[in-house]
């Protein structure tokens, strides 16, 4: 795997460009936006040589590595093989001939958690995390034929799609009204309305909020793109954090007795409701919640081996 030139400054510039202006207050979480050529400086961050070397040297299994076409996932046996290893062990590895055959017939190759495998994508992920104050992870998609890997679908997280090679067509449909609580297993039926129909070329970036139906198809192959996923911060996150703050509160720790006078449990519930109402009504509640979230150490740890001095900080 060739190590690209130092792109740290270019990565920060790209992230700053994508999130500048009215993006955070008006676009983020709300509407899709295309940034033509915004990532042109970092298209060399990951290429076909990188993908080849990862597939050749890593033992990847489903669901981290998947092949799909028209919404149907190909079984591992169609592109993997068990090879004999030393001491009688068997290793499951990619079968090159089977993999090439599957890709030539229109299957899309998808790889999850690429920022945990590739140093450059890890650095880019950290640049997004610093700017958005949120966890961030990259998936990768490679396709050769004008077929869709997953059909029209929606995601329960916001997405930055960065085109690296080839061209990808994105048909964006309406937003799923139930995206705030529905699960992927309850995908539903896509709306008939086409909100946008666009083609991403190398260096182009698409931001897509969660809940928007989309149907990406290779326009000019071979196509290679990465998608950065940003998990949503919801009321459930706030509620869990708040309950953790009240872990030792007297009202919250009162015992719910199942037997005896029914007024006992009712009184406990009344005190719990009152305590929760008081907590949610505190003016600085959201400020404190986000302060804790912002103070979290996003990004990847660095071990600094061979130094194992336990008194030295790890940076």
């Amino acid at each position: 795997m060739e190590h690209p030139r130092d792109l740290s400054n270019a990565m920060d510039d790209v992230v700053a460009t994508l999130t500048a202006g009215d993006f955070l207050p008006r676009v983020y979480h709300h509407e899709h936006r295309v940034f033509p050529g915004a990532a042109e400086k970092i298209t060399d961050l990951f290429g076909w040589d990188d993908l080849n070397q990862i597939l050749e040297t890593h033992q990847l299994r489903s669901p981290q590595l998947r092949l799909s076409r028209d919404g149907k996932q190909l079984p591992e046996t169609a592109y993997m093989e068990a090879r004999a290893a030393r001491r009688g062990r068997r290793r499951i590895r990619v079968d090159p001939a089977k993999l090439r055959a599957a890709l030539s017939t229109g299957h899309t190759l998808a790889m999850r958690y690429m920022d945990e495998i590739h140093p450059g994508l890890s650095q880019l992920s950290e640049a997004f995390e610093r700017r958005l104050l949120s966890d961030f992870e990259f998936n990768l998609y490679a396709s050769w034929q004008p077929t869709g890997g997953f059909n029209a679908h929606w995601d329960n997280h916001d997405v930055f799609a960065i085109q690296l090679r080839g061209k990808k067509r994105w048909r964006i449909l309406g937003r799923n009204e139930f995206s705030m609580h529905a699960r992927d297993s309850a995908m539903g039926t896509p709306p008939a309305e086409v909100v946008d129909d666009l083609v991403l070329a190398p260096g182009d970036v698409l931001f897509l909020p969660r809940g928007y139906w989309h149907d990406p198809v290779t326009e000019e192959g071979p196509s290679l793109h990465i998608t950065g996923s940003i998990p949503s911060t919801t009321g459930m996150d706030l509620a869990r954090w708040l309950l953790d703050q009240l872990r030792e509160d007297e009202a919250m720790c009162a015992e719910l007795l199942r037997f005896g006078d029914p007024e006992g449990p009712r009184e406990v519930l009344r005190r719990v409701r009152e305590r929760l109402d008081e907590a949610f009504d505190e003016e600085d509640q959201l400020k404190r919640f986000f302060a804790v979230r912002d103070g979290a150490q996003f990004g990847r740890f660095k071990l600094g081996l061979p130094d194992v001095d336990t008194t030295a900080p790890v940076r």
Side-chain angles (χ1 to χ4, degrees):
M1 184 185 306
E2 294 185 5
H3 294 283
R5 55 190 170 83
D6 185 7
L7 297 175
S8 299
N9 292 334
M11 294 180 197
D12 288 334
D13 289 345
V14 167
V15 173
T17 298
L18 295 175
T19 57
D22 66 343
F23 179 82
L24 291 177
R26 296 181 60 87
V27 178
Y28 194 35
H29 307 311
H30 300 296
E31 61 186 53
H32 79 283
R33 177 170 291 184
V34 181
F35 301 85
E40 186 174 358
K41 295 180 180 178
I42 61 170
T43 53
D44 290 337
L45 182 65
F46 190 98
W48 295 115
D49 288 343
D50 299 272
L51 178 58
N52 285 327
Q53 187 159 359
I54 289 173
L55 291 172
E56 292 164 2
T57 59
H58 287 67
Q59 186 169 328
L60 302 172
R61 302 291 302 275
S62 178
Q64 187 171 17
L65 171 64
R66 295 173 294 158
L67 265 63
S68 301
R69 185 180 65 186
D70 299 328
K72 296 180 180 180
Q73 186 171 332
L74 195 65
E76 276 192 347
T77 53
Y79 57 94
M80 293 280 194
E81 67 172 348
R83 294 184 180 181
R86 282 178 280 186
R87 299 187 181 93
R89 294 179 301 164
R90 295 175 67 81
R91 299 184 65 187
I92 307 297
R93 298 291 299 273
V94 166
D95 182 309
K98 291 181 179 179
L99 177 65
R100 293 170 65 93
L103 298 176
S104 69
T105 56
H107 287 85
T108 293
L109 181 151
M111 294 176 62
R112 300 173 65 182
Y113 315 126
M114 290 299 295
D115 50 294
E116 297 181 1
I117 300 176
H118 187 268
L121 294 182
S122 179
Q123 293 176 33
L124 182 57
S125 178
E126 289 186 87
F128 274 104
E129 289 174 346
R130 288 193 297 270
R131 177 60 174 158
L132 300 176
L133 296 173
S134 174
D135 289 315
F136 197 97
E137 66 182 40
F138 274 114
N139 295 341
L140 176 140
Y141 301 89
S143 51
W144 281 254
Q145 303 297 332
T147 54
F150 306 98
N151 289 342
H153 64 282
W154 56 269
D155 297 311
N156 60 4
H157 49 260
D158 295 341
V159 166
F160 276 102
I162 303 176
Q163 190 71 22
L164 299 175
R165 301 287 188 274
K167 293 183 179 180
K168 197 87 170 184
R169 178 186 180 189
W170 291 71
R171 293 176 64 251
I172 302 173
L173 310 175
R175 195 171 196 178
N176 179 14
E177 296 297 333
F178 302 101
S179 66
M180 302 308 167
H181 55 80
R183 297 180 180 271
D184 288 342
S185 58
M187 189 66 64
T189 303
E193 176 190 6
V194 177
V195 175
D196 206 347
D197 192 337
L198 52 97
V199 176
L200 297 186
D204 293 345
V205 181
L206 167 67
F207 172 75
L208 195 64
R210 69 168 178 161
Y212 271 97
W213 287 85
H214 52 283
D215 186 13
V217 176
T218 296
E219 179 79 3
E220 181 182 304
S223 168
L224 181 67
H225 81 273
I226 53 176
T227 62
S229 304
I230 312 122
S232 301
T233 301
T234 68
M236 285 298 294
D237 296 309
L238 174 62
R240 292 189 186 101
W241 173 82
L242 184 59
L243 288 174
D244 190 61
Q245 306 305 301
L246 299 175
R247 186 179 299 276
E248 298 182 4
D249 184 87
E250 180 180 353
M252 302 298 292
C253 292
E255 188 174 2
L256 283 169
L257 301 176
R258 297 186 61 181
F259 306 104
D261 186 357
E263 288 302 317
R266 292 194 187 102
E267 175 61 20
V268 173
L269 290 177
R270 183 188 65 78
R271 293 172 61 192
V272 168
R273 283 196 300 269
E274 289 180 352
R275 186 64 189 92
L276 288 174
D277 287 342
E278 291 172 3
F280 276 110
D281 283 342
E282 293 178 12
E283 292 185 2
D284 65 340
Q285 194 66 262
L286 275 179
K287 183 178 179 180
R288 291 195 295 118
F289 168 68
F290 281 114
V292 172
R293 301 272 291 184
D294 294 350
Q297 294 185 357
F298 301 114
R300 283 72 181 150
F301 63 82
K302 294 176 175 60
L303 284 174
L305 298 176
D307 183 9
V308 293
D309 181 0
T310 58
T311 63
V314 177
R315 299 182 181 278

